[in-house]
Amino acid sequence: MTDSKAKMIAIVAAAGSLGVSVPAFASAAGFLSTTRFGYEGTILQYASLADAQAGVNSTNTINVSNRDLSLFMASNDTIVSDISFMNGPWFYTLDTFYSPTEGRAGWGNTTGNTGIGFMQMYDDGAVTRTGVSMAFGDFDGTYYTSFDFSLTGENAGAAQASRLSAQGNVGDGGVWYNYAVNLTATGLEGETIAPGIIEST
């Protein structure tokens, strides 16, 4: 990833005991902003929604590899309003001739803003969210070195600008009937910045 910025905050009921390698209590409150992850996998196509929901009779398998991922999530945060935003990061350029300030967002960024496997979902207000959990863990005596995050939701459609490019970037808008994100970030330096608030940047 060209953008190395990442910020994770979890507002927790109580932090893990100092010197003990246990996770802090999981919380539904916090903030996550990162472009340091990627994704790959397969897209299965079906002839009907009923077959897709039942997971039977797929008509095509499309491989997705080496995609960049941007995540921006807030839940009951003290500063940022609730939001669930994930996509291939289209907002920065890899072309050295242009800079983002020249209005060329995503220029040359083929693993973020175009092609098979590009996806986006922008849920301002987190109205499609059905569950969220954030927790720091693996305290090494100074820092919490890991961060676990999970998100579930349903029925994210046109109002959330939902897209998935299976064949290309034309006609790729639709409905995410169910979605889930689960990740663990490691090698962090999470520290308590206020009572009940742990942050890693």
Side-chain angles (χ1 to χ4, degrees):
M1 299 292 301
T2 58
D3 183 349
S4 62
K5 295 177 182 175
K7 184 170 185 177
M8 298 155 195
I9 297 175
I11 302 168
V12 296
S17 301
L18 293 179
V20 180
S21 183
V22 296
F25 291 99
S27 173
F31 172 75
L32 164 67
S33 175
T34 181
T35 57
R36 301 199 64 182
F37 288 91
Y39 62 97
E40 59 185 21
T42 56
I43 298 171
L44 298 179
Q45 288 183 306
Y46 298 87
S48 70
L49 176 59
D51 282 354
Q53 289 177 323
V56 297
N57 303 321
S58 63
T59 59
N60 193 15
T61 300
I62 300 167
N63 292 314
V64 175
S65 62
N66 192 30
R67 302 299 313 201
D68 290 338
L69 178 65
S70 174
L71 296 171
F72 186 82
M73 310 283 172
S75 176
N76 298 314
D77 187 65
T78 57
I79 298 172
V80 181
S81 298
D82 282 3
I83 191 170
S84 296
F85 172 59
M86 63 187 97
N87 73 325
W90 48 262
F91 46 84
Y92 61 84
T93 181
L94 300 180
D95 192 320
T96 56
F97 183 75
Y98 297 103
S99 71
T101 59
E102 294 173 313
R104 297 276 186 165
W107 190 265
N109 178 16
T110 56
T111 60
N113 68 353
T114 189
I116 294 171
F118 173 79
M119 63 91 177
Q120 74 176 23
M121 194 272 292
Y122 185 86
D123 184 1
D124 194 13
V127 297
T128 70
R129 182 188 295 165
T130 58
V132 65
S133 177
M134 306 177 205
F136 280 94
D138 298 318
F139 188 73
D140 67 3
T142 304
Y143 299 114
Y144 291 92
T145 61
S146 68
F147 181 80
D148 290 309
F149 175 80
S150 66
L151 169 76
T152 56
E154 61 188 16
N155 299 317
Q160 289 76 40
S162 296
R163 296 172 59 191
L164 175 62
S165 299
Q167 300 288 0
N169 295 110
V170 177
D172 59 356
V175 178
W176 293 17
Y177 288 98
N178 293 285
Y179 62 87
V181 176
N182 296 287
L183 65 86
T184 298
T186 58
L188 305 179
E189 293 184 352
E191 56 188 332
T192 302
I193 61 169
I197 300 177
I198 301 170
E199 176 182 78
S200 177
T201 57

